[in-house]
């Protein structure tokens, strides 16, 4: 089975403004996110990518532009199933306001029971994304061989849920996983089991340095903004 390279989109304007973007239209990369996207072709230069699949949302499409410019032989496929979680009425709201919502405690401690008002549940988010990966694994293996490598550009909660699926973790544990903007996660699928071979790799360890304000114990819904 193929190896899947999961790229979270670069830092977005919503990340820096502290907003939960969801499917809000027009949310693109900020200046740092654009620089992260520009560095992506070099980071992936040694990988022979067979296919590129993307979320339909602008921040993912902008993240892939430099990579696609460097690899004109590849045409991206858009798959709604790896689009961001549908946060419904929470979309576009400030994360600082949402932390006091009773549902946030469920999102943090029991996400398999969390369903966003006017949106979808986190279980359905994971299910659609995992189904997309399984279908793309079969398609890539059929068209390019079992050792092929392909890439998906998606979102923080989607990638975390796919890592949990690959590791056999219950969705209630997926908030223990962290993937920063423009990080690379790699999962090698085999007949018997998946192997997580990279997780949230940015090549930059600045985010591990102590900060003036200690990080919260809560997981950032949507994935967070990464290193300051």
């Amino acid at each position: 089975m193929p190896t899947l390279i999961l790229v979270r989109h670069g830092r977005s304007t919503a990340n820096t403004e502290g907003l939960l973007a969801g499917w809000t239209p027009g949310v693109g990369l900020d200046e740092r996110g654009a620089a992260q996207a520009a560095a992506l072709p070099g980071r992936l230069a040694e990988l022979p990518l067979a296919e590129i699949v993307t979320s339909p949302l602008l921040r993912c499409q902008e993240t892939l532009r430099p990579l696609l410019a460097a690899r004109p032989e590849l045409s991206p496929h858009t798959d709604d199933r790896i689009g961001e979680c549908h946060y419904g009425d929470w979309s576009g709201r400030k994360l600082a306001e949402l932390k006091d919502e009773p549902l946030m405690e469920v999102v943090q401690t029991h996400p398999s029971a969390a369903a966003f008002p006017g949106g979808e549940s986190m279980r359905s988010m994971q299910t659609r994304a995992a189904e997309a990966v399984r279908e793309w694994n079969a398609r890539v293996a059929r068209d390019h061989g079992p050792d092929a490598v392909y890439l998906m550009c998606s979102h923080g909660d989607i990638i975390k849920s796919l890592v949990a699926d690959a590791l056999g973790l219950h969705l209630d544990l997926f908030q223990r996983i962290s993937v920063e903007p423009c990080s690379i996660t790699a999962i090698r699928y085999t007949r018997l089991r998946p192997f997580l071979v990279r997780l949230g790799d940015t090549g930059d360890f600045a985010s591990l340095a102590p900060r003036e304000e200690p990080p919260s114990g809560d997981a950032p819904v949507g994935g967070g903004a990464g290193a300051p």
Side-chain angles (χ1 to χ4, degrees):
M1 297 293 285
T3 296
L4 169 61
I5 307 299
L6 287 161
V7 176
R8 185 183 167 200
H9 62 78
R11 195 172 74 175
S12 73
T13 55
N15 292 145
T16 49
E17 292 171 8
L19 301 175
L20 186 62
W23 284 69
T24 305
V27 176
L29 302 182
D30 68 4
E31 185 175 352
R32 179 171 181 161
Q36 291 170 333
L40 195 58
R43 294 169 65 196
L44 298 173
E46 296 184 17
L47 288 181
L49 298 175
E51 300 282 0
I52 292 180
V53 188
T54 181
S55 156
L57 297 174
L58 178 63
R59 52 198 182 273
C60 286
Q61 295 173 355
E62 289 184 345
T63 299
L64 288 178
R65 281 176 188 167
L67 180 62
L68 292 168
R71 304 207 187 191
E73 73 279 6
L74 292 173
S75 297
H77 305 273
T78 300
D79 194 324
D80 287 358
R81 295 174 297 176
I82 62 167
E84 181 62 284
C85 184
H86 290 276
Y87 296 116
D89 297 345
W90 279 26
S91 298
R93 292 182 60 187
K94 285 191 172 293
L95 289 164
E97 298 172 356
L98 292 170
K99 67 181 178 62
D100 295 324
E101 293 277 355
L103 177 60
M104 183 59 84
E105 184 177 2
V106 182
V107 170
Q108 292 293 326
T109 62
H110 192 24
S112 65
F116 296 98
E120 70 179 331
S121 69
M122 301 200 92
R123 282 191 302 168
S124 65
M125 174 201 73
Q126 183 187 43
T127 297
R128 62 173 165 85
E131 287 177 349
V133 167
R134 285 168 174 76
E135 288 183 19
W136 277 103
N137 282 348
R139 176 172 172 174
V140 170
R142 180 196 68 206
D143 295 344
H144 303 282
D147 296 324
V149 179
Y150 75 108
L151 181 147
M152 284 184 168
C153 187
S154 188
H155 307 266
D157 282 348
I158 294 287
I159 294 173
K160 288 164 56 178
S161 75
L162 290 172
V163 170
D165 177 75
L167 292 177
L169 293 178
H170 196 283
L171 185 60
D172 286 346
L173 301 179
F174 101 128
Q175 298 290 29
R176 302 183 183 194
I177 299 165
S178 176
V179 289
E180 291 197 0
C182 224
S183 63
I184 293 172
T185 295
I187 303 171
R188 180 175 296 125
Y189 290 88
T190 73
R191 186 174 62 85
L192 296 180
R193 64 184 62 85
F195 291 90
L196 178 66
V197 293
R198 293 287 189 282
L199 175 61
D201 188 344
T202 64
D204 178 3
F205 296 100
S207 65
L208 301 180
R211 303 185 186 182
E212 291 183 8
E213 293 186 9
S216 167
D218 286 344
V221 181

